[in-house]
Amino acid sequence: MSVPARSPRGAWRIGAAALAAALTIGLSACAPDPMVEAYKNGDQKAYTTADFRVESIPAAKRKAPVDFGGVTEGGEKFSSDDIRGEVAVVNFWYAGCGPCRIEAEDLEATWQKHKDDGVQFMGVNIYDQADTAKAFAKTYGVTYPSLMDATTGDAKLAFARVTPIQAPPTTLVLDRQGRVAARIIGPIDGTSILSTLIKDALEEKA
C-alpha cells in the first residue's frame, strides 16, 4: 500500500514541532539558575536619574561580610581577605556606561583623598574585557584596580546575596569587617557624599 506524500506545509509543521520538543528537552536538562544568570548577564534596567539614592546602613542591621575576589585588568589575583580590616569602596561599572564615565573623575578624586587613610578602592567591571578596562582607566585617569567580572559574574553575585545591585554605576562602602555599610545608586556626582560615607565608616570602632 502506498503512502501519500506529505505536503511541504505538513512536513514543516512536523519538523518545527520536533525541533521545539528537542529544544524544550535540552533547555530543561541544563536550565541555569535564573538568579545566577541574571547577575552574570546584567539583565537589569538601565540607570535613570530617578533611581539615584544614598543608603547608610546602621551597624546592627548590616548583613554578613562579603567574600569576593577575582583577577584585575592587570592580571593580578585579588581576594577580599587582602583588605579585611580596612574600609573599602567597591564600584560596579563598565566602559560603555555613560554615568560611569561621568563619575570616574570624582571616584578617582575620592580615592586620592582617602587612600592614605587606609581606605581601599576596587572596581568591578561587569561587561568588558581587560583591554577595554585599561583603555578606560587611561582615558579617565583611574589609578585603582578593577576586577574583570564579565566572564564569571562571581563578584557581582557575591554582593547580590546581601544587597541589591542596581544597574551600574552602583557604589558600596564596606566597613572593616567587610560588611556593606552604605550604598550609592547612580553616579556619585562630586566627592562629598562618598567622602562622608567613608569618614563615617572610618570613625567606627573595629
Side-chain angles (χ1 to χ4, degrees):
M1 177 175 134
S2 62
V3 179
R6 288 196 184 98
S7 69
R9 179 177 297 180
W12 180 88
R13 286 175 178 168
I14 293 173
L19 177 60
L23 286 173
T24 300
I25 293 171
L27 290 173
S28 62
C30 60
D33 179 82
M35 186 183 82
V36 172
E37 288 303 301
Y39 284 109
K40 279 186 179 180
N41 299 326
D43 294 337
Q44 299 157 323
K45 67 183 180 65
Y47 163 80
T48 67
T49 54
D51 294 323
F52 179 82
R53 65 179 181 270
V54 179
E55 297 177 86
S56 182
I57 305 168
K61 294 186 178 181
R62 293 172 196 166
K63 296 184 179 179
V66 182
D67 294 318
F68 69 104
V71 178
T72 70
E73 73 273 49
E76 298 177 347
K77 292 183 178 180
F78 169 83
S79 168
S80 53
D81 291 338
D82 300 336
I83 60 172
R84 195 75 85 217
E86 298 177 294
V87 171
V89 173
V90 180
N91 174 258
F92 292 85
W93 70 283
Y94 66 99
C97 160
C100 300
R101 297 194 294 269
I102 291 172
E103 73 169 2
E105 182 179 346
D106 292 330
L107 282 169
E108 176 65 20
T110 311
W111 156 238
Q112 293 297 331
K113 181 178 180 179
H114 290 288
K115 65 179 183 179
D116 291 336
D117 298 329
V119 177
Q120 301 295 327
F121 269 56
M122 177 62 69
V124 177
N125 187 302
I126 63 173
Y127 289 128
D128 305 317
Q129 298 304 311
D131 287 347
T132 302
K134 289 178 183 178
F136 181 97
K138 183 177 180 179
T139 299
Y140 293 96
V142 177
T143 61
Y144 57 85
S146 284
L147 296 178
M148 304 312 300
D149 205 45
T151 302
T152 66
D154 289 345
K156 189 176 181 184
L157 184 59
F159 281 97
R161 290 190 177 104
V162 299
T163 188
I165 302 297
Q166 306 296 105
T170 294
T171 303
L172 306 175
V173 177
L174 308 184
D175 64 17
R176 291 186 177 90
Q177 296 179 44
R179 302 175 301 175
V180 176
R183 182 167 68 121
I184 300 175
I185 298 172
I188 65 171
D189 191 21
T191 64
S192 60
I193 293 176
L194 179 56
S195 184
T196 298
L197 295 172
I198 290 172
K199 289 177 181 177
D200 288 345
L202 286 170
E203 289 172 359
E204 294 177 356
K205 295 181 179 180

